[in-house]
Amino acid sequence: MSTTPTVDDEEAETESESTLATARKQLQRAATNVEVDPAIIERLKHPTRVQQVSVPLEREEGGVDVFTGYRAQHDDVRGPYKGGLRYHPEVTADECTGLSMWMTWKCAVMDLPFGGGKGGIAVDPKSLTDDERERLTRRFAEELRDVVGPTKDVPAPDMGTDAQTMAWFMDAYSMQQGETIPGVVTGKPPVIGGSYGREAAPGRSTAIITREAVDYYDREIADATVAVQGFGSVGANAARLLDDWGATVVAVSDVNGAIYDPDGLDTRAVPTHEEEPEAVLTHEAPETLSNEAVLELDVDVLIPAAVGNVITAGNADAVDADIVVEGANGPTTFAADAILAERDVAVIPDILANAGGVTVSYFEWLQDINRRTWSLERVNEELEEQMLSAWRDVRDEVDARDLTWRDAAYVVALSRVAEAKGARGLWP
Ligand code: NAD
């Protein structure tokens, strides 16, 4: 990996910069590795549209609160915008825009016929009753009705939203349109057009990519040791699959800390976030560790699968894994990335590793449009195929041009988007 990014003062400061600033910087960096018309890069720095709406809600205890909602639509040159809707107090237009850019690259690296979108409401979902959450979601769906739709923009669950939220969104949209339109959102319950395997898909793709990365570096999955930070949807599904495939999962953690067994944990016996929230430490194990210590374990593979910005300039030198597979979104800061590249630690980026979620969302959208349900076996088979195809595309760039895995993934993604932009041209 000779194209090591340099850590200059400006980059070192990016730990606290906005998501949008980071996303733009990543685009600029990717542009240096691809021959693209600068006018196309300039166009891609800007979202097509950022819709801001007011969402009034009658409170159960009386009175009305007005929340602000957003939908950022970055680019749709390859197909409808695709991305989550989050309910979180810190949702902003800038954050949605930055995250929508990442969705453009994630969809493109997977070669899905989608562009990038992201949205949400600045609200603490824990402050809402179930009834308030339903009414807020229905009104939000109505406020966004003109800009979403199966051929325009297809939201999905994200932080603070779930399959039920998508069911309400789909119902509100369908009622107003006068017909049942399941393809307006993905991540729905299977009974109304959701896909089997959607929930487990980001963890499954993280495991598939881990297996391929271990093989690429000439090791056997059955001999590999793995540490996983975060034992939620992504972390637990990835850990259990790798365990099934023979890997030794030595540590898993939740927000309270980690359990460690050098001989390997029985991952099926450790409660996941969904089974029993924040209960990892209740499982008996030879040792407990802090969450920081998990990142510094001497293992073959480290999978950060909890939250963003956990590997920073402050601890990147202490990372002792040979391969880092990003299960979470953005676990490695820009500055940490440079340090890991200098140290020859392979970092397989989030836009590839956890892209199983958006890939099965694409399968869900296909099932909705065709009014035909796929079995779980078919979903998992097609996911495997799509992940391996994306893995090969990125691996070929790594091999051909001696790039880091992140740079190679961006080259694949940006080339596809830029080529589509070039072919369609600029209208008028
Ligand atoms: P989740 O809520 O199911 O689980 C999160 C886990 O991380 C829990 O075990 C929690 O205890 C733990 N955790 C929270 N804060 C922590 C901290 N500071 N240190 C250590 N552990 C902490 O979440 P999830 O759906 O698995 O998502 C995890 C990450 O993966 C997020 O970055 C998310 O954006 C990303 N992701 C999720 C999906 C998806 O569809 N679920 C898809 C792609 C990416």
Side-chain angles (χ1 to χ4, degrees):
M1 291 173 214
S2 65
T3 50
T4 306
T6 55
V7 189
D8 61 25
D9 287 343
E10 196 202 352
E11 282 171 352
E13 280 169 15
T14 59
E15 313 266 321
S16 60
E17 78 187 3
S18 75
T19 310
L20 178 56
T22 307
R24 286 203 170 123
K25 212 174 261 186
Q26 283 174 341
L27 169 60
Q28 202 64 54
R29 182 178 164 76
T32 63
N33 290 317
V34 191
E35 235 175 77
V36 184
D37 177 356
I40 290 179
I41 300 297
E42 188 55 32
R43 287 172 65 192
L44 288 168
K45 282 185 195 164
H46 304 275
T48 308
R49 176 189 298 116
V50 182
Q51 186 88 349
Q52 178 176 326
V53 297
S54 296
V55 194
L57 173 71
E58 198 170 347
R59 303 308 298 251
E60 267 174 31
E61 74 271 24
V64 170
D65 284 330
V66 181
F67 297 96
T68 305
Y70 306 93
R71 184 68 183 172
Q73 298 175 327
H74 173 243
D75 186 81
D76 70 343
V77 73
R78 291 169 46 87
Y81 305 98
K82 188 85 195 75
L85 287 179
R86 50 176 61 176
Y87 290 176
H88 189 275
E90 275 147 43
V91 168
T92 63
D94 266 11
E95 184 194 57
C96 292
T97 307
L99 294 172
S100 72
M101 284 175 82
W102 281 340
M103 285 306 298
T104 300
W105 314 133
K106 195 180 272 195
C107 293
V109 82
M110 292 308 304
D111 211 3
L112 307 177
F114 287 136
K118 192 71 105 178
I121 303 179
V123 61
D124 178 1
K126 291 194 202 96
S127 71
L128 304 171
T129 65
D130 284 351
D131 179 58
E132 287 174 337
R133 220 154 45 84
E134 176 174 351
R135 284 187 284 110
L136 188 75
T137 301
R138 289 183 181 281
R139 180 62 184 250
F140 189 34
E142 176 56 18
E143 297 299 337
L144 292 185
R145 187 151 62 94
D146 287 345
V147 297
V148 298
T151 57
K152 286 185 186 169
D153 183 350
V154 186
D158 204 281
M159 277 162 64
T161 58
D162 55 14
Q164 179 60 69
T165 320
M166 293 304 109
W168 291 326
F169 194 105
M170 173 269 201
D171 184 66
Y173 181 83
S174 297
M175 295 302 287
Q176 290 293 74
Q177 296 293 106
E179 57 183 315
T180 295
I181 306 175
V184 64
V185 287
T186 59
K188 302 177 294 295
V191 70
I192 51 166
S195 179
Y196 296 117
R198 168 66 181 77
E199 174 56 34
R204 176 169 281 272
S205 67
T206 301
I208 293 169
I209 293 298
T210 300
R211 189 191 64 205
E212 295 306 307
V214 166
D215 181 61
Y216 181 84
Y217 287 104
D218 291 328
R219 297 171 200 204
E220 296 287 328
I221 194 74
D223 298 331
T225 52
V226 180
V228 182
Q229 188 189 54
F231 207 59
S233 169
V234 178
N237 278 302
R240 286 176 172 179
L241 268 176
L242 289 166
D243 193 0
D244 291 349
W245 296 339
T248 306
V249 180
V250 296
V252 302
S253 76
D254 65 20
V255 70
N256 299 318
I259 49 174
Y260 175 70
D261 185 344
D263 295 328
L265 296 158
D266 175 5
T267 54
R268 303 249 165 219
V270 182
T272 68
H273 188 66
E274 202 192 22
E275 287 160 4
E276 195 184 341
E278 326 301 14
V280 163
L281 292 180
T282 63
H283 183 78
E284 215 163 291
E287 264 184 73
T288 58
L289 300 172
S290 70
N291 254 306
E292 293 70 40
V294 173
L295 302 174
E296 300 173 8
L297 284 172
D298 179 8
V299 284
D300 293 301
V301 184
L302 169 67
I303 303 180
V307 288
N309 297 333
V310 293
I311 305 177
T312 67
N315 64 0
D317 270 322
V319 169
D320 210 6
D322 300 317
I323 305 168
V324 175
V325 180
E326 296 186 328
N329 283 325
T332 315
T333 67
F334 205 75
D337 217 23
I339 294 168
L340 293 173
E342 256 163 38
R343 293 184 49 222
D344 256 349
V345 177
V347 180
I348 319 292
D350 45 9
I351 58 167
L352 173 64
N354 70 30
V358 71
T359 303
V360 175
S361 272
Y362 166 56
F363 299 161
E364 178 173 336
W365 181 77
L366 288 178
Q367 291 171 72
D368 291 340
I369 287 170
N370 291 304
R371 297 291 201 264
R372 179 140 196 215
T373 304
W374 297 6
S375 67
L376 177 61
E377 289 68 31
R378 176 168 178 195
V379 169
N380 285 342
E381 265 171 38
E382 299 234 6
L383 175 61
E384 170 94 16
E385 209 173 290
Q386 196 101 16
M387 292 312 304
L388 291 183
S389 168
W391 166 262
R392 284 191 291 267
D393 293 341
V394 175
R395 186 201 58 197
D396 288 351
E397 290 297 334
V398 168
D399 286 344
R401 304 167 52 166
D402 206 15
L403 296 171
T404 66
W405 290 91
R406 192 183 313 279
D407 284 342
Y410 272 86
V411 163
V412 171
L414 181 57
S415 305
R416 285 181 178 147
V417 174
E419 213 178 304
K421 281 240 183 276
R424 283 181 60 169
L426 177 58
W427 185 88

